[in-house]
Amino acid sequence: MAQIEPIVKVDIVLETSTQTRQGFGTLLFSTADRRFPEVIRTYNSITEVATDYATTDQAYKAATSYFSQSPRPTRIKIGQEKADVTLTPDDPSASGGEIYTFDFIDNLGAKTTVTYTATAGQTAADVVTGLKASLGALDGTKVTASGSTTLILSEFSGLGFGTTSETNTLTRTVAGDGTETPADLVAKYTAEDSDWYFYASDDKTTSTVLANAAAIEPLRKMYFYSTAATESLLTITNPIATDDVMALLQDSGYDRTVGLWHDNLDNSPECAYIGVNAPFDAGSVVWANIELAGIASPKDPATTLSLNAGQKQKVADRNGNIQVVKGNALVVRLGKVAGGEAI
């Protein structure tokens, strides 16, 4: 049984001739968001990320965790899956006057400001009709606009698009359109730009994590995920619980998947874990006993108190990684892949 105490040394060096040194130190973060029209965009700082993404977007939060480490990684790539953007307008007041605006970016990168001002007595449905009219010829040539009380933007004939700068009178939600599986996404990203080594995603559901791990395993890349599954804090059952993703991946014996347990996944803590060692050459660093800047100590979801030693050991029993207090420092143990080897 793996124990929390040992310091783990790196004894696996995963190198590839198809990636540049810069590519080896690069994270590709996959998101369902649609902030730009191309498949992948590269950013060299969180300031650059902020030019496209809102601070509430998952991609922005993940990039913040990644770039917050010291020394700071040099770049991140963000990949976008095919997704629909839904813009829900606030109901206009009786007197009207509210302004509804967003920027639409077409597949060639051209930006168009779409706007509508409500008049007295109008409804949310009137606002959607007005926004569709403001889209004009873009609807049916660059994007498909649908919906009655919400404006739904979808790809037209496979053309990518993005939206930014929504006014606070519009609530923006994004969801994958269901046409791409996790394996499809990995294949799409690799075909578009294979010069990256670390992979993470804003979709942390068990089914997607398992599918991502299977898709990355044959490649010369590494997949990092985080999970808050409470099943991973308990004794492993037989059969393994359907949401015990760490035990399921351990059972699969994957050597290119790394799991980090944390109760708060909002900031993608696995991206902080990647960011700590991304600047260094393979084989020159350890992945255990390292601190993650900006990531707090994990808590028991049931009590909001610190995890006890037994719960942390359950994560270790699954070849999972978790932050523990060592002296005055909060460090990650054990630095392992799902199959049990050191990263």
Side-chain angles (χ1 to χ4, degrees):
M1 178 186 297
Q3 298 294 321
I4 285 292
E5 289 77 18
I7 295 176
V8 179
K9 297 180 180 179
V10 170
D11 57 11
I12 289 181
V13 179
L14 300 175
E15 300 187 36
T16 172
S17 59
T18 62
Q19 291 157 333
T20 65
R21 169 60 191 89
Q22 191 176 37
F24 173 79
T26 299
L27 163 65
L28 174 64
F29 185 80
S30 177
T31 179
D33 220 329
R34 294 301 300 258
R35 292 300 192 184
F36 50 79
E38 59 263 44
V39 174
I40 296 173
R41 183 170 284 186
T42 301
Y43 302 90
N44 297 308
S45 68
I46 193 62
T47 302
E48 291 186 3
V49 175
T51 62
D52 289 331
Y53 288 92
T55 57
T56 53
D57 290 342
Q58 286 302 308
Y60 180 89
K61 294 177 181 180
T64 297
S65 294
Y66 181 69
F67 280 126
S68 293
Q69 308 312 306
S70 181
R72 185 178 69 84
T74 57
R75 66 176 181 171
I76 188 173
K77 296 184 178 185
I78 297 179
Q80 296 186 141
E81 69 174 274
K82 293 180 180 179
D84 298 330
V85 176
T86 299
L87 298 171
T88 304
D90 293 344
D91 287 322
S93 62
S95 57
E98 290 84 2
I99 299 173
Y100 304 82
T101 301
F102 67 94
D103 286 338
F104 175 82
I105 308 167
D106 71 17
N107 64 301
L108 299 178
K111 183 182 292 186
T112 301
T113 298
V114 180
T115 187
Y116 182 74
T117 301
T119 58
Q122 288 197 316
T123 65
D126 295 316
V127 174
V128 171
T129 299
L131 290 173
K132 288 179 181 178
S134 183
L135 273 168
L138 293 171
D139 183 7
T141 60
K142 295 289 188 178
V143 70
T144 298
S146 61
S148 54
T149 57
T150 62
L151 177 63
I152 304 171
L153 302 176
S154 308
E155 283 194 5
F156 172 81
S157 191
L159 299 178
F161 72 92
T163 70
T164 61
S165 305
E166 300 83 12
T167 54
N168 59 12
T169 52
L170 289 169
T171 299
R172 180 182 188 271
T173 56
V174 184
D177 67 5
T179 62
E180 294 178 309
T181 67
D184 292 335
L185 283 172
V186 171
K188 179 176 77 170
Y189 295 146
T190 303
E192 180 75 15
D193 177 2
S194 64
D195 199 20
W196 48 273
Y197 185 70
F198 300 105
Y199 186 65
S201 169
D202 64 357
D203 188 344
K204 295 172 173 57
T205 58
T206 297
S207 59
T208 297
V209 170
L210 294 175
N212 280 337
I216 291 292
E217 187 68 14
L219 307 178
R220 290 189 170 186
K221 300 182 184 297
M222 294 292 293
Y223 170 51
F224 281 61
Y225 73 94
S226 55
T227 178
T230 55
E231 291 84 353
S232 297
L233 303 177
L234 306 172
T235 300
I236 300 174
T237 59
N238 185 12
I240 298 171
T242 56
D243 283 331
D244 190 354
V245 64
M246 284 187 161
L248 291 168
L249 289 169
Q250 178 189 42
D251 189 58
S252 296
Y254 289 137
D255 289 327
R256 294 187 175 273
T257 293
V258 178
L260 180 70
W261 196 95
H262 204 285
D263 62 293
N264 183 2
L265 308 185
D266 190 50
N267 294 326
S268 291
E270 75 278 11
C271 293
Y273 195 19
I274 295 168
V276 172
N277 279 341
F280 301 101
D281 291 331
S284 67
V285 291
V286 296
W287 289 83
N289 303 295
I290 56 178
E291 299 180 63
L292 307 182
I295 306 301
S297 178
K299 307 293 184 184
D300 185 333
T303 66
T304 71
L305 300 176
S306 296
L307 297 177
N308 59 47
Q311 291 171 315
K312 295 173 184 176
Q313 185 59 53
K314 297 302 187 212
V315 173
D317 291 345
R318 293 163 165 80
N319 296 329
N321 301 283
I322 191 167
Q323 294 163 287
V324 302
V325 175
K326 182 69 173 179
N328 294 323
L330 182 66
V331 300
V332 176
R333 299 287 183 89
L334 293 163
K336 288 188 173 184
V337 298
E341 298 288 349
I343 302 169

